[in-house]
Amino acid sequence: GIKEEPAKNLVKAGDYIVGINGEKVENKKELADCVKNLEKETVILQIRRDREEIELKMTPVSVSSKERKLGIWVRDNLQGLGTITFLTRDSRFGALGHGIHDVDTNGLVEIAKGSLYATNIRTLMKGRAGMPGSLEGIIVYNSFNRLGEIEKNTEAGIYGKLEKVDRLVEEEIAIEVAKKEEICTGPAQIRCCIGDEICYYDVEILKVYPDDDDESNRNMMIKVTDKELLEKTGGIVQGMSGSPIVQNGKLI
């Protein structure tokens, strides 16, 4: 019944645990195994915090004769739903249009690697003022549904290699990429899959942001003008992130 917090004021939200007692750890299971098999009363955690590596000394708490705990909630994976933006001729992809951030610290998550899976969209929650809508689907984590590997998570999106191109792309049609100076305010189209098929919907580019804008992944402001899309979704919903936008026949 006693409340113990051995990691309090030592470990902080957003820390990356990279080792324990000089032994490298790469996931939750390795960390738990090290704690379970500790031979010493104290442990030294190797932590990476804001690009700096530090060591923290603490005393685990015994919760039974065979189990000790550090009092840290550890997460080593994230998942979400988004849209692939482009695919190059050599099967490199870009998706999402923004980075994957930690839900507690809002910091960009550093990743070693990740997997891309096919998703079955089951429901659509329509957005309204003050409440963003969302596409909701089911992801079955098996080799059949795995489409490729995620190699980078950046503020501008996720990037990697697609392995099952035929499974995802019915027809490969090349599209020219616009230079930034070609993008202008005015009509454009967003390409996305809301129901059973991919469609183009009308949007309007309201503003193009300069290179020196504070937010690195904010490039333009768009307004959905397509009546069909507004009726279905209310605008842009979660899951549409990364949907390609085309203006004057070019990808922008």
Side-chain angles (χ1 to χ4, degrees):
I2 300 172
K3 182 179 179 181
E4 298 277 5
E5 296 182 78
K8 189 175 182 180
N9 299 324
L10 293 172
V11 178
K12 296 182 179 181
D15 284 347
Y16 287 84
I17 301 172
V18 296
I20 180 169
N21 290 342
E23 186 176 336
K24 186 179 179 181
V25 291
E26 294 187 341
N27 54 56
K28 287 189 296 188
K29 185 179 185 305
E30 289 182 6
L31 177 64
D33 288 344
C34 286
V35 174
K36 182 179 179 181
N37 298 317
L38 282 173
E39 296 179 356
K40 300 178 180 178
E41 287 298 314
T42 59
V43 300
I44 297 177
L45 284 184
Q46 282 77 41
I47 300 288
R48 187 170 72 253
R49 178 185 297 165
D50 298 328
R51 303 296 174 185
E52 180 184 1
E53 292 211 2
I54 58 176
E55 291 189 344
L56 304 175
K57 186 177 180 180
M58 65 184 68
T59 304
V61 173
S62 296
V63 294
S64 71
S65 59
K66 295 183 178 180
E67 188 178 14
R68 286 188 282 182
K69 291 188 176 182
L70 299 173
I72 307 171
W73 182 58
V74 181
R75 177 169 57 229
D76 66 357
N77 65 79
L78 291 167
Q79 59 276 327
L81 189 151
T83 302
I84 288 182
T85 309
F86 66 82
L87 184 66
T88 65
R89 186 174 292 170
D90 58 353
S91 299
R92 311 293 303 179
F93 74 84
L96 211 58
H98 58 74
I100 298 173
H101 291 75
D102 183 271
V103 294
D104 296 306
T105 67
N106 202 35
L108 187 73
V109 176
E110 296 177 36
I111 66 165
K113 61 182 178 180
S115 293
L116 195 71
Y117 288 90
T119 308
N120 293 316
I121 304 298
R122 295 297 177 91
T123 58
L124 193 161
M125 301 292 291
K126 188 175 180 179
R128 59 182 189 275
M131 182 71 70
S134 64
L135 298 175
E136 297 182 1
I138 295 176
I139 306 171
V140 179
Y141 295 104
N142 58 28
S143 58
F144 177 76
N145 286 314
R146 188 179 184 278
L147 300 173
E149 184 165 294
I150 301 166
E151 299 169 352
K152 289 195 296 182
N153 178 35
T154 76
E155 290 290 2
I158 58 174
Y159 299 88
K161 175 90 171 179
L162 200 66
E163 296 162 359
K164 298 180 180 178
V165 177
D166 294 341
R167 169 92 192 278
L168 193 66
V169 183
E170 292 181 1
E171 53 180 342
E172 296 181 48
I173 303 171
I175 183 169
E176 190 175 350
V177 179
K179 296 178 181 178
K180 186 162 186 176
E181 54 268 24
E182 294 181 84
I183 304 169
C184 59
T185 55
Q189 290 185 308
I190 188 168
R191 178 180 164 100
C192 51
C193 184
I194 301 300
D196 297 325
E197 60 180 337
I198 300 170
C199 298
Y200 281 98
Y201 298 98
D202 292 331
V203 297
E204 183 180 358
I205 309 295
L206 298 178
K207 184 176 181 179
V208 179
Y209 291 93
D211 284 330
D212 58 358
D213 190 86
D214 291 337
E215 297 184 44
S216 62
N217 68 332
R218 185 169 75 168
N219 310 122
M220 67 188 87
M221 181 187 293
I222 70 168
K223 177 182 180 181
V224 175
T225 57
D226 196 287
K227 292 182 179 179
E228 183 182 354
L229 186 58
L230 288 170
E231 179 62 33
K232 288 180 177 179
T233 66
I236 304 293
V237 298
Q238 295 173 355
M240 287 172 62
S241 294
S243 297
I245 298 171
V246 176
Q247 187 180 56
N248 298 323
K250 296 182 180 181
L251 180 69
I252 63 170

